[in-house]
């Protein structure tokens, strides 16, 4: 009697997904492995929506503000509006953002100006100086409990690290439609990735993490939410997720995960055609 053993075909680790892991890759895979496959293996791009574009332009203006803060310059609300207005059309072309009408574009631009101006006007005068602004960090993924090197690096772009009185504070900017408090669990992967990166890449340990939400209400609102420094339990959870992610990649196992997020999914057409 002969026995045949069928082994899964393991792709060579040369594809882009093997170059690095990021919080956004992990989060998309957690949300739906099929959506992850369509995005990162099949290369299907998500269109730039007005909401996404508003978020990107807001991030750009805040980066501009904090890069000047690093140089000891505090830009005024008017100077920030100028930056947003001057870069708007070029950024729209670069991002493939096509507003339906010129009025829609103007309304979105005014919203970004309002959000950013409100943000800087509400900042505490004694906000600590930035240690890092829109900084790309990378580090090999080495399990802090077992010491196992997973053979792939983690990469992330951290919006802002402030030199707080007690120590570094990692800040992430979000533009949001409502002022509901962000659920810490929903942001845990991203926050823990940033804390891991900061420590591994610089030796610094954060004393807290903040999500700074710029709320797109008619009258813009700014809400800061503070979370505690990451503990070993956060790292254990992150590494458990990363191991499960790598197992799926190794085995090319990308099941669909229908749920409440399907309504906003960019891949619903391809999803309807999917069959394992
Ligand atoms: S529509 Fe739902 S199940 Fe299908 S790919 Fe998108 S998130 Fe996954």
């Amino acid at each position: 009697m002969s026995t045949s053993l069928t082994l899964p075909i393991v792709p060579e680790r040369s594809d882009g997904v093997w170059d690095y892991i990021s919080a956004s890759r992990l989060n998309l895979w957690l949300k739906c492995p099929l959506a992850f496959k369509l995005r990162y293996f099949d290369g299907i791009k998500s269109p730039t929506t007005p909401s996404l574009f508003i978020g990107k332009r807001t991030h750009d203006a805040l980066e501009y503000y904090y890069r000047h803060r690093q140089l000891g310059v505090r830009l005024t609300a008017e100077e920030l509006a100028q930056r947003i207005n001057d870069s708007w059309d070029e950024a729209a072309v670069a991002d493939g953002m096509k507003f339906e009408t010129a009025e829609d574009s103007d309304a979105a631009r005014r919203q970004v100006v309002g959000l950013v101006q409100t943000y800087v006007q509400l900042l505490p005068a004694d906000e600590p100086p930035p240690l890092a602004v829109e900084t790309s960090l990378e580090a090999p993924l080495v399990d802090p409990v077992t010491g196992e090197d997973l053979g792939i690096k983690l990469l992330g772009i951290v919006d802002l690290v402030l030199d707080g009185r007690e120590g570094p504070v990692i800040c992430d900017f979000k533009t949001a439609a409502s002022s509901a408090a962000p659920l810490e669990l929903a942001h845990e992967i991203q926050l823990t990735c940033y804390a891991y990166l900061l420590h591994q890449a610089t030796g610094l340990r954060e004393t807290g993490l903040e999500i700074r939400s710029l709320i797109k209400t008619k009258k813009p609102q700014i809400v800061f939410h503070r979370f505690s420094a990451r503990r070993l339990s956060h790292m254990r959870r992150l590494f458990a997720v990363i191991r499960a992610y790598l197992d799926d990649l190794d085995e090319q196992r990308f099941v669909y995960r229908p749920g409440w997020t399907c309504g906003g999914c960019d891949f619903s057409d391809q999803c309807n055609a999917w069959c394992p």
Side-chain angles (χ1 to χ4, degrees):
M1 190 179 93
S2 70
T3 305
S4 68
L5 188 64
T6 306
L7 294 171
I9 300 167
V10 178
E12 289 208 7
R13 291 197 170 203
S14 57
D15 191 287
V17 295
W18 296 114
D19 291 345
Y20 64 88
I21 291 176
S22 68
S24 55
R25 290 180 177 197
L26 287 175
N27 277 328
L28 182 55
W29 170 78
L30 282 167
K31 185 179 89 168
C32 177
L34 177 60
F36 172 88
K37 172 188 177 289
L38 292 166
R39 169 72 185 83
Y40 289 106
F41 278 92
D42 300 348
I44 299 173
K45 299 264 186 273
S46 300
T48 302
T49 61
S51 175
L52 189 61
F53 189 66
I54 286 168
K56 287 179 79 171
R57 298 323 300 153
T58 303
H59 269 77
D60 175 81
L62 294 175
E63 177 188 348
Y64 186 67
Y65 175 78
Y66 281 108
R67 288 209 185 281
H68 281 79
R69 286 277 286 117
Q70 283 184 305
L71 301 171
V73 176
R74 207 178 281 268
L75 294 175
T76 65
E78 291 70 33
E79 287 169 320
L80 287 165
Q82 183 85 36
R83 159 78 179 192
I84 294 161
N85 293 334
D86 289 351
S87 60
W88 188 260
D89 290 340
E90 197 177 324
V93 172
D95 285 355
M97 179 66 237
K98 290 188 177 71
F99 288 97
E100 287 195 9
T101 65
E103 289 73 30
D104 289 345
S105 174
D106 281 347
R109 184 176 48 73
R110 283 196 301 274
Q111 187 168 52
V112 174
V113 170
L115 288 169
V116 174
Q117 290 191 326
T118 306
Y119 177 87
V120 296
Q121 283 159 357
L122 293 179
L123 274 181
D126 61 349
E127 183 188 50
L131 286 171
V133 179
E134 195 73 9
T135 300
S136 181
L137 299 174
E138 65 174 62
L141 278 161
V142 180
D143 188 317
V145 177
T146 65
E148 183 191 1
D149 186 337
L150 300 191
I152 191 166
K153 66 189 174 190
L154 181 67
L155 188 137
I157 300 174
V158 181
D159 287 344
L160 177 67
V161 183
L162 293 174
D163 190 11
R165 197 170 301 142
E166 311 293 330
V169 179
I170 297 171
C171 304
D172 190 63
F173 301 120
K174 305 269 183 226
T175 47
S178 93
S179 57
L183 189 63
E184 181 175 358
L185 201 51
H187 299 281
E188 181 174 315
I189 295 293
Q190 186 185 30
L191 296 176
T192 307
C193 281
Y194 288 170
Y196 178 87
L197 283 169
L198 184 70
H199 183 231
Q200 296 298 317
T202 70
L204 297 171
R205 282 204 191 273
E206 83 287 357
T207 55
L209 303 102
E210 282 183 8
I211 290 182
R212 297 186 163 193
S213 299
L214 291 83
I215 318 290
K216 298 181 284 184
T217 37
K218 198 167 178 190
K219 183 170 182 235
Q221 301 171 63
I222 309 299
V223 188
F224 290 4
H225 293 278
R226 178 93 173 206
F227 304 103
S228 61
R230 300 295 87 177
R231 300 183 298 276
L232 192 56
S233 57
H234 289 115
M235 295 299 161
R236 294 174 78 124
R237 287 150 66 109
L238 174 64
F239 273 77
V241 166
I242 291 171
R243 284 195 170 89
Y245 166 87
L246 290 172
D247 285 349
D248 262 16
L249 261 59
D250 275 334
E251 295 179 26
Q252 293 285 283
R253 183 179 51 205
F254 302 110
V255 297
Y256 84 148
R257 193 167 292 165
W260 66 271
T261 55
C262 294
C265 178
D266 295 325
F267 308 109
S268 48
D269 289 350
Q270 294 83 357
C271 179
N272 282 325
W274 178 72
C275 190

